Amino acid sequence: MQDLTLSDTRIVKGACPHDCPDTCALRITVEGGRVIKVQGAADHPSTHGALCTKVSRYAERSYHPERLLKPLRRVSAKHEAPRFEEVSWATALADISGRLKAIAARDPQAILPYSYAGTMGYVQGEAMAGRFFNRLGASLLDRTICASAGAAALSATYGHKVGMHLPHFAESRLILIWGSNSIASNLHFWTYANQAKRAGAKLICIDPRKTETADKCHQHIGLLPGTDGALALGLMHELIVNDWLDHDYLGRHVDGWEELRDKAMQWPPERTAEVCGLSAAEVQGLARDYGTTAPAAIRLNYGMQRVRGGGNAVRLVALLPCLTGAWRHRAGGLLLSSSGWFAPYKNDQLERPELRRAPARTINMSSIGDELLRPASKEFGPQIEALIVYNSNPVAVAPESPKVLRGFQREDLFTVVLEHFMTDTADSADYVLPATTQLEHLDVHSSYGHTDVLINEPAIAPLGEAKPNSQIFRELAVAMGFDEACFLESDEQLARQVFTSAIDFEALRAKGWQSLPLKEAPFAEGQFLTPNGRAQAGGADYVPNYESRASSPELARRYPLAMISPPARNFLNSTFVNVKSLRDIEGEPVLEMHAEDAAQRGLQDGAMVRVFNERGNYHCRMRISARARLGVVNGLGIWWRKLGPRGSNVNEVTHQGLTDMGRAPSFYDCLVEVALADEVTTPA
Ligand SMILES: Nc1nc2c(c(=O)[nH]1)N[C@H]1C(S)=C(S)[C@@H](COP(=O)(O)OP(=O)(O)OC[C@H]3O[C@@H](n4cnc5c(=O)[nH]c(N)nc54)[C@H](O)[C@@H]3O)O[C@H]1N2
Ligand SMILES: Nc1nc2c(c(=O)[nH]1)N[C@H]1C(S)=C(S)[C@@H](COP(=O)(O)OP(=O)(O)OC[C@H]3O[C@@H](n4cnc5c(=O)[nH]c(N)nc54)[C@H](O)[C@@H]3O)O[C@H]1N2
Ligand SMILES: [Mo]
């Protein structure tokens, strides 16, 4: 166990908590009660002793001078500059529980939790929080902000969020890196891709932006945003007409193949090229590579499903390995998410759904702007009167922030935010409660990029008066008068319950991580996780964007540029934006623009610009860049609004339209115009 004496040096086993497929194993060096180093574990295969720049600065983030260390109560009006006073935990808990009790007495569904993956840990995520909101009878939250289109699509096609195993990419002969800037956002996958490259594999990046990853691949296919479904159909057309098909695999393991084949035959290279903004030769060349190289692997990432047709696009891309029989080899197939491999071992009673006494409505987090502004009605139910936010920064990350902000600034909304820092969301809170960081609490993690379970032991005691999320919900439960025994369980008791089988907790503690038992090439003989074991190809089709020159020509006359807003490399969504050393690398909020698009607007490199549409105005620095294709601008995200020029960020212009499957946002399905703006300085 941990020795907490102050003088010695200890190495503590940790896990990176962030929303990233890599979920690295950490080794945390503590000296005299203070963390002095955060490193990647050398013995964990995918971490391989290496961390990204961001997480190697984790101690800088935890010891940040602006860490929230005391409960805060608002003293200014919501529309005024935020001002807070420090209060005791006892006062905060009594006030908050008093307000919640009064609302719950009328209708507990007027209370809404809002959380996502600020930490992906089970203990500090939904374990105690889930119990609290179930017992309270609060509205349910549909957690769709990131991956639910792709998740619904994979589940419809293969029965679950499953795919290739990460290390096997090293043996692939062809890797399509599709909608993923792996070097920025999936670094430890890139290590395996690079091994394959050194062994002679061809790497092709499919992305509207010429990313850092595209620079390192043999080829970049710079398609228009939201046209991946069309490209997949066009590739299928070529696989069919050249007979690069595995007929045996299709016959034995795929339902709906005839229907899909008929659809694909409507996508000859010329039509595909036209819709995707590519040349017919690019489509044909890609199909030839994919159809004639084995084993061929696809690393799909969530970047390509943030458009109206994102779900169908994932279905179509995911079916490609069935056409060629790539699944027969362990280094062939596709990986979007590995999280479904954990499902059979996970305890689905952790959040105690049985505590809920009556069914409740579900609110979609991706349309929180609209939801907060909705009055009570028969269909909607009660107006949202209270919001409890943890592990998320919705004012910065949710689409169409002008509406999100208006909702958060409602004087009659009671908002509690559990946070490390005074984020844009915390600025609108009535109460801000200081939460511990990963260095200060216990947790258990799975991954959506590999198949290991990791433990995170606390390295140091909580800073100031910060408490783990789990503890805050435990104490709130007591204040509410909830007397069920499950609210008394400690973090260790919770941690031991996450994986009920296959993972021995003592062994996990001893090593820091444990691998799931897995099949080498899981779908070599079909056996997908669908009810009949066959892949489901029926019904998938190309769905055009809400907003594009082709689908909305009238709108495109006023706002002719398509904008995507992928992550900036040195931030993790909106986390780390306030870490100065990382912000200094990013400089300021940037819009990348093609030289011709800039010239047409008379804009010089480095100009302060206004990016706008009917929804809002976003101010940032324009860079003429070879990373932007003609007609598409790249607004790198996700800055804190208050750290950007004129207090805006890229979500000022995104919209709340949902994807075709999974009710997810369509951040990258967005038309804008760009104009010169007055010079304003970015806050330091
Ligand atoms: N450094 C860093 N790492 C991260 C994150 C981060 O913010 N910063 N975010 C984390 C999170 S929350 C997630 S969900 C994961 C995955 O996060 P993703 O959002 O999948 O991140 P990327 O891998 O950067 O993939 C986005 C890529 O998709 C491209 N893209 C945009 N539109 C399209 C399109 O229509 N078609 C295609 N083919 N490509 C498109 C973008 O240009 C970008 O290069 O990464 C995680 N890792
Ligand atoms: N325009 C645009 N918008 C996007 C995206 C995009 O690509 N473009 N990406 C989308 C995606 S993929 C995602 S996943 C979402 C991400 O949206 P969020 O899940 O909201 O992610 P973050 O912005 O990283 O905010 C997480 C917050 O949780 C806090 N936190 C971390 N650990 C803890 C803890 O232990 N306790 C508590 N109480 N708080 C903690 C952090 O301080 C941080 O402020 O954003 C989405 N928004
Ligand atoms: Mo995400």
Side-chain angles (χ1 to χ4, degrees):
M1 278 306 309
Q2 308 300 318
D3 175 6
L4 287 173
T5 52
L6 286 182
S7 53
D8 58 347
T9 300
R10 296 177 298 126
I11 309 279
V12 179
K13 296 184 180 78
C16 176
H18 290 296
D19 187 352
C20 167
D22 293 14
T23 310
C24 291
L26 307 180
R27 291 295 174 266
I28 297 155
T29 310
V30 185
E31 215 174 82
R34 199 177 161 88
V35 172
I36 55 160
K37 227 182 323 184
V38 177
Q39 291 168 297
D43 68 331
H44 180 241
S46 62
T47 305
H48 200 61
L51 292 181
C52 65
T53 318
K54 304 177 290 298
V55 175
S56 59
R57 311 279 169 94
Y58 199 84
E60 185 180 342
R61 182 174 185 277
S62 286
Y63 292 118
H64 196 293
E66 288 160 14
R67 253 300 286 284
L68 295 167
L69 299 174
K70 287 205 154 87
L72 300 174
R73 176 166 62 192
R74 183 179 207 91
V75 292
S76 59
K78 291 283 173 76
H79 63 274
E80 290 173 1
R83 275 181 294 116
F84 290 87
E85 63 180 2
E86 289 178 1
V87 292
S88 69
W89 271 106
T91 304
L93 291 167
D95 276 8
I96 294 167
S97 58
R99 286 291 292 267
L100 296 182
K101 277 182 200 161
I103 297 170
R106 294 194 301 278
D107 188 343
Q109 293 189 83
I111 303 169
L112 179 70
Y114 195 101
S115 68
Y116 201 63
T119 167
M120 298 205 71
Y122 287 91
V123 177
Q124 307 310 333
E126 304 307 329
M128 201 49 86
R131 295 173 184 195
F132 179 80
F133 291 109
N134 279 330
R135 173 66 179 79
L136 181 60
S139 285
L140 293 158
L141 184 71
D142 202 1
R143 293 187 171 81
T144 55
I145 197 97
C146 169
S148 62
L154 267 189
S155 298
T157 311
Y158 291 140
H160 223 304
K161 290 186 271 178
V162 287
M164 283 176 65
H165 303 317
L166 178 62
H168 300 161
F169 278 90
E171 300 157 19
S172 307
R173 302 296 301 162
L174 173 73
I175 306 180
L176 308 187
I177 300 182
W178 199 320
S180 167
N181 185 6
S182 314
I183 290 181
S185 65
N186 190 189
L187 187 61
H188 296 77
F189 155 76
W190 176 253
T191 313
Y192 294 101
N194 216 14
Q195 274 177 40
K197 186 182 171 191
R198 281 200 300 269
K202 183 170 183 181
L203 269 49
I204 303 178
C205 180
I206 304 174
D207 195 311
R209 177 170 184 253
K210 188 169 183 301
T211 58
E212 298 87 334
T213 308
D215 292 344
K216 297 259 163 48
C217 288
H218 297 96
Q219 194 187 349
H220 171 226
I221 307 261
L223 80 182
L224 286 167
T227 63
D228 302 86
L231 180 58
L233 286 164
L235 295 179
M236 289 180 191
H237 179 278
E238 292 301 285
L239 297 176
I240 295 165
V241 300
N242 292 292
D243 199 22
W244 291 319
L245 298 174
D246 185 333
H247 295 280
D248 175 61
Y249 195 91
L250 280 167
R252 287 198 290 137
H253 306 309
V254 182
D255 279 343
W257 163 236
E258 284 75 23
E259 182 197 325
L260 180 63
R261 187 184 54 204
D262 292 348
K263 251 178 234 156
M265 286 312 292
Q266 296 159 31
W267 288 87
E270 298 69 27
R271 179 182 177 206
T272 306
E274 160 93 35
V275 169
C276 298
L278 300 169
S279 71
E282 277 176 294
V283 178
Q284 286 164 317
L286 182 61
R288 172 171 298 277
D289 281 337
Y290 190 70
T292 62
T293 316
I298 301 175
R299 183 41 164 125
L300 195 63
N301 212 338
Y302 288 108
M304 50 75 70
Q305 46 104 66
R306 308 192 203 293
V307 292
R308 181 190 186 182
N312 271 277
V314 168
R315 289 204 63 198
L316 291 165
V317 175
L319 284 162
L320 285 167
C322 287
L323 271 68
T324 58
W327 286 119
R328 288 183 191 274
H329 196 291
R330 70 176 193 171
L334 167 130
L335 175 63
L336 169 59
S337 170
S338 58
S339 62
W341 293 123
F342 295 88
Y345 310 108
K346 235 167 15 198
N347 173 6
D348 59 8
Q349 300 303 302
L350 199 63
E351 299 168 31
R352 302 298 166 96
E354 79 282 359
L355 289 173
R356 198 169 274 278
R357 289 160 186 187
R361 67 176 171 188
T362 300
I363 302 270
N364 191 343
M365 70 187 307
S366 298
S367 47
I368 190 65
D370 281 344
E371 309 304 344
L372 287 177
L373 298 174
R374 232 184 267 289
S377 70
K378 211 159 174 279
E379 308 73 55
F380 182 61
Q383 186 187 34
I384 298 171
E385 289 181 60
L387 199 57
I388 300 178
V389 182
Y390 51 105
N391 300 340
S392 185
N393 183 11
V395 171
V397 306
E400 204 176 354
S401 24
K403 282 193 179 164
V404 180
L405 196 64
R406 251 171 59 212
F408 268 86
Q409 290 184 342
R410 270 174 45 200
E411 293 293 345
D412 62 343
L413 181 72
F414 180 65
T415 305
V416 180
V417 176
L418 283 60
E419 253 300 348
H420 300 152
F421 294 105
M422 213 59 208
T423 59
D424 291 325
T425 304
D427 276 346
S428 294
D430 292 275
Y431 271 95
V432 183
L433 302 178
T436 46
T437 71
Q438 191 77 341
L439 302 181
E440 302 149 66
H441 56 227
L442 177 71
D443 222 324
V444 172
H445 291 254
S446 58
S447 167
Y448 61 100
H450 60 67
T451 43
D452 301 332
V453 174
L454 282 74
I455 192 156
N456 181 77
E457 302 274 7
I460 52 169
L463 298 187
E465 294 179 23
K467 294 180 197 269
N469 289 342
S470 54
Q471 181 62 16
I472 298 175
F473 284 108
R474 230 176 249 125
E475 292 183 16
L476 267 177
V478 171
M480 295 293 289
F482 300 162
D483 54 9
E484 288 78 3
C486 69
F487 289 111
L488 299 175
E489 286 179 358
S490 67
D491 281 5
E492 181 168 333
Q493 284 172 307
L494 293 172
R496 285 177 180 276
Q497 290 168 51
V498 178
F499 289 99
T500 41
S501 57
I503 299 295
D504 175 64
F505 193 73
E506 303 311 328
L508 177 63
R509 271 208 147 145
K511 192 171 174 188
W513 53 279
Q514 289 286 307
S515 299
L516 295 182
L518 290 168
K519 284 205 281 182
E520 280 282 284
F523 308 127
E525 293 297 327
Q527 299 178 321
F528 294 104
L529 306 182
T530 50
N532 69 0
R534 291 162 69 90
Q536 300 299 312
D541 205 350
Y542 167 61
V543 177
N545 275 5
Y546 286 109
E547 301 192 353
S548 74
R549 281 192 200 195
S551 62
S552 45
E554 178 48 41
L555 192 70
R557 263 188 282 283
R558 278 174 292 149
Y559 308 112
L561 295 166
M563 186 193 78
I564 57 172
S565 46
R569 183 172 181 172
N570 291 290
F571 303 147
L572 197 296
N573 300 320
S574 77
T575 305
F576 293 104
V577 179
N578 64 326
V579 175
K580 183 126 190 354
S581 68
L582 293 168
R583 191 162 76 251
D584 286 347
I585 306 176
E586 292 298 333
E588 47 189 340
V590 163
L591 185 83
E592 297 171 341
M593 194 178 222
H594 189 278
E596 267 180 53
D597 285 326
Q600 274 176 28
R601 290 163 181 79
L603 297 171
Q604 309 280 328
D605 180 48
M608 178 60 58
V609 293
R610 184 169 66 94
V611 182
F612 64 98
N613 56 26
E614 269 149 12
R615 296 178 285 271
N617 295 285
Y618 165 48
H619 287 82
C620 62
R621 187 72 59 196
M622 189 277 284
R623 292 281 170 214
I624 293 178
S625 171
R627 298 205 183 284
R629 62 163 286 164
L630 191 64
V632 181
V633 287
N634 311 324
L636 303 184
I638 310 171
W639 281 73
W640 283 18
R641 293 168 58 88
K642 59 182 164 186
L643 293 176
R646 292 182 198 272
S648 62
N649 80 5
V650 71
N651 279 317
E652 199 75 11
V653 291
T654 54
H655 63 78
Q656 297 179 74
L658 301 179
T659 50
D660 53 349
M661 301 175 74
R663 307 164 307 281
S666 36
F667 290 113
Y668 302 170
D669 179 338
C670 176
L671 287 176
V672 298
E673 181 52 292
V674 177
L676 189 66
D678 291 339
E679 188 63 29
V680 271
T681 47
T682 305

